[in-house]
């Protein structure tokens, strides 16, 4: 199991290095071409997406806002909500000194994961026709994630029933992925994205999402 996890992490870092190298080379190419392209005064794009978290197959929803630095490079702020998944753990004062819980869990736990990312997107055209325009893109960034968990518990010492909630904020040093976008009408576009969020070597969140965006 550990060997499989290590191999996955090793493969992910190789993919990351490849994406960064390709992005740096192609972004320079994109800057050169942007001077030759028709100027577009619409620099912002808002998007919504619905997808699935691939490790535990739960639905997730997201919202993003892009600002295009050039026609081929954008800076994006992205927010995603993933229910029924979290990495938070009960505080140490909920434990006995010898390592056992001093309460019992009653009922189902409620938990969710919030992802807040800042990304660079690099776009590359697949066709030369204006409508529909098909483009693929690479995304590389960083961000934070907030893990929230809530429990109904019974104290072993007082037998009282209480509801406890706690959350933890984590820094995710790297996110990366690839996607595909197709313009469907004027400033509207459909997009599909596969993205990996890495908080630590053994804590990885992956998403596959389908979205709709509007340029303004």
């Amino acid at each position: 199991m550990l060997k499989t996890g290590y191999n996955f992490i090793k493969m992910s870092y190789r993919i990351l290095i490849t994406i960064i190298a390709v992005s740096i080379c192609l972004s320079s190419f994109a800057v050169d071409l942007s001077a030759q392209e028709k100027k577009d005064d619409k620099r912002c794009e808002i998007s919504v997406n619905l997808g699935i978290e691939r490790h535990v197959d739960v639905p997730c929803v997201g919202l993003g806002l892009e600002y295009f630095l050039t026609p081929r490079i954008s800076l994006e702020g992205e927010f995603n909500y993933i229910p029924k998944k979290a990495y938070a753990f009960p505080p140490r004062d909920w434990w006995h000194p010898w390592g056992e819980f001093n309460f019992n869990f009653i009922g189902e736990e409620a938990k969710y994961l919030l992802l807040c990312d800042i990304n660079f997107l690099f776009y590359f055209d697949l066709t030369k026709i204006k409508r529909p325009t098909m483009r693929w893109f690479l995304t590389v960034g960083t961000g934070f994630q907030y893990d929230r968990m809530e429990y109904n518990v019974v104290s072993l010492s007082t037998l009282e029933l209480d509801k406890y909630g706690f959350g933890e904020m984590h820094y995710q040093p790297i996110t990366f992925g690839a996607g595909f976008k197709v313009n469907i009408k004027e400033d509207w576009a459909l997009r599909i994205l596969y993205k990996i969020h890495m908080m630590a070597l053994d804590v990885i969140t992956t998403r596959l999402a389908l979205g709709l965006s509007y340029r303004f």
Side-chain angles (χ1 to χ4, degrees):
M1 184 70 178
L2 291 176
K3 185 176 181 180
T4 302
Y6 174 77
N7 290 336
F8 179 79
I9 298 300
K10 188 176 181 180
M11 181 184 67
S12 298
Y13 273 111
R14 287 178 178 175
I15 294 174
L16 172 62
I17 293 173
T18 302
I19 290 176
I20 292 177
V22 172
S23 298
I24 292 174
C25 295
L26 293 181
S27 63
S28 300
F29 175 69
V31 171
D32 292 338
L33 287 182
S34 65
Q36 305 173 18
E37 295 178 346
K38 183 178 178 180
K39 184 178 179 181
D40 188 352
D41 293 331
K42 297 179 179 179
R43 305 293 294 274
C44 296
E45 185 168 313
I46 188 169
S47 61
V48 294
N49 65 76
L50 175 65
I52 189 168
E53 203 289 322
R54 294 299 302 156
H55 279 187
V56 290
D57 290 335
V58 296
C60 57
V61 294
L63 178 67
L65 180 62
E66 289 182 64
Y67 179 78
F68 282 80
L69 304 173
T70 77
R72 296 177 183 269
I73 304 175
S74 69
L75 181 64
E76 177 192 47
E78 186 184 19
F79 176 84
N80 288 277
Y81 170 78
I82 303 176
K84 299 181 181 179
K85 176 171 181 171
Y87 299 110
F89 204 69
R92 294 299 302 178
D93 57 5
W94 289 25
W95 295 51
H96 284 301
W98 50 88
E100 296 180 355
F101 287 117
N102 55 18
F103 58 85
N104 280 338
F105 295 104
I106 301 297
E108 292 186 1
E109 58 184 344
K111 56 185 179 180
Y112 61 85
L113 182 64
L114 300 179
L115 303 175
C116 303
D117 303 336
I118 298 294
N119 312 298
F120 280 102
L121 276 70
F122 304 91
Y123 286 91
F124 312 99
D125 293 338
L126 292 179
T127 64
K128 297 300 181 182
I129 60 175
K130 292 184 177 180
R131 301 295 177 190
T133 301
M134 295 184 290
R135 315 179 84 184
W136 70 279
F137 60 89
L138 302 176
T139 173
V140 178
T142 187
F144 292 89
Q145 61 185 48
Y146 176 73
D147 307 321
R148 177 70 181 180
M149 304 185 78
E150 295 180 353
Y151 296 95
N152 291 321
V153 300
V154 173
S155 172
L156 297 181
S157 57
T158 64
L159 299 182
E160 294 180 351
L161 176 64
D162 291 298
K163 184 174 183 178
Y164 287 94
F166 55 91
E168 295 177 352
M169 182 74 75
H170 304 285
Y171 172 62
Q172 51 182 21
I174 190 67
T175 66
F176 59 96
F180 182 76
K181 182 161 74 172
V182 181
N183 284 12
I184 54 175
K185 182 180 178 181
E186 195 61 31
D187 298 314
W188 293 90
L190 288 174
R191 61 166 66 194
I192 187 170
L193 170 68
Y194 182 76
K195 192 171 182 181
I196 298 174
H197 304 257
M198 300 187 68
M199 187 180 73
L201 293 180
D202 57 345
V203 180
I204 300 174
T205 299
T206 62
R207 295 187 300 114
L208 179 62
L210 178 67
L212 180 69
S213 62
Y214 175 73
R215 188 81 174 265
F216 64 95

